[in-house]
Amino acid sequence: MANLHSAIPNAHRTRRKVSAPLRAGDRAPAFSLPDADFNMVSVAGLRGQNLVIYFYPRDDTPGCTAEALEFSELEMDFRGSDALVLGISRDDCMVHGDFRDKHGLAVQLLSDVEGDVCRRYGVLEQKEYEGQRRECIRRSTFVIDRRGVVRHALYGVSPRGHAAVVLQLIKEI
């Protein structure tokens, strides 16, 4: 009997590739994503400075708001350490703009609606919600040095107090 799966063209398969988690020493995957103002942000254009890229589940939820506020409060400290902080979720640009404006956030929020960058960074996980399995972001942060190398890959972090821990990691680079 023929393998039915092999008879289905690739375009009709719905499985998406999920990358293995990143580790310290890995090269950070390159990407370009739009921010809350629809401006494209390219990681390749940010080489030469340290980066903090944090992935979070959803705008305007209690944990995500606390995390974004803490990163925003420490923005000048991060800049003083030659580091740029980027927050990424699957919310669209308009939602990011509303979230930023509502809370006066200073961090740059990027939109990965399709989840492609999330997959490359290995931050998606399957969760069951209201009887259905969904692909959700596992709260994670990456500290990336000036050469584009991951120095710290932190998965499953707690949002409160996390920004201060990450700032200390940046200062140690």
Side-chain angles (χ1 to χ4, degrees):
M1 180 174 232
N3 181 348
L4 293 177
H5 186 69
S6 64
I8 301 171
N10 285 335
H12 296 289
R13 293 184 191 152
T14 58
R15 294 177 68 185
R16 292 191 176 192
K17 185 178 180 182
V18 177
S19 297
L22 294 178
R23 301 182 195 283
D26 289 346
R27 173 129 335 256
F31 64 83
S32 293
L33 289 173
D35 68 9
D37 296 317
F38 298 91
N39 297 313
M40 292 303 289
V41 175
S42 172
V43 169
L46 300 173
R47 286 267 159 79
Q49 66 180 328
N50 297 312
L51 291 177
V52 171
I53 301 175
Y54 77 96
F55 290 84
Y56 63 99
R58 201 165 139 202
D59 287 345
D60 221 12
T61 58
C64 297
T65 300
E67 185 177 31
L69 286 168
E70 288 182 15
F71 273 116
S72 291
E73 289 167 3
L74 294 173
E75 181 203 16
M76 294 309 294
D77 296 301
F78 281 103
R79 287 186 186 263
S81 297
D82 195 29
L84 177 64
V85 178
L86 302 172
I88 300 176
S89 79
R90 295 182 73 177
D91 293 301
D92 67 32
C93 297
M94 297 293 289
V95 172
H96 278 335
D98 291 344
F99 179 51
R100 177 198 59 201
D101 296 347
K102 177 180 178 181
H103 297 285
L105 301 176
V107 296
Q108 198 166 14
L109 303 175
L110 306 181
S111 180
D112 184 22
V113 174
E114 298 299 321
D116 295 331
V117 174
C118 293
R119 281 183 198 83
R120 283 189 256 159
Y121 277 76
V123 301
L124 293 178
E125 62 185 3
Q126 293 289 321
K127 286 190 176 181
E128 191 165 323
Y129 181 73
E130 296 180 353
Q132 293 185 356
R133 298 210 38 91
R134 293 186 178 184
E135 206 173 38
C136 301
I137 292 178
R138 180 178 184 197
R139 190 181 310 277
S140 306
T141 301
F142 301 88
V143 176
I144 300 166
D145 70 17
R146 290 173 174 84
R147 296 169 300 150
V149 175
V150 175
R151 296 292 294 270
H152 300 277
L154 310 168
Y155 290 90
V157 301
S158 174
R160 288 175 176 73
H162 179 61
V165 170
V166 173
L167 178 61
Q168 189 58 44
L169 294 175
I170 283 287
K171 289 180 176 182
E172 294 171 2
I173 291 181

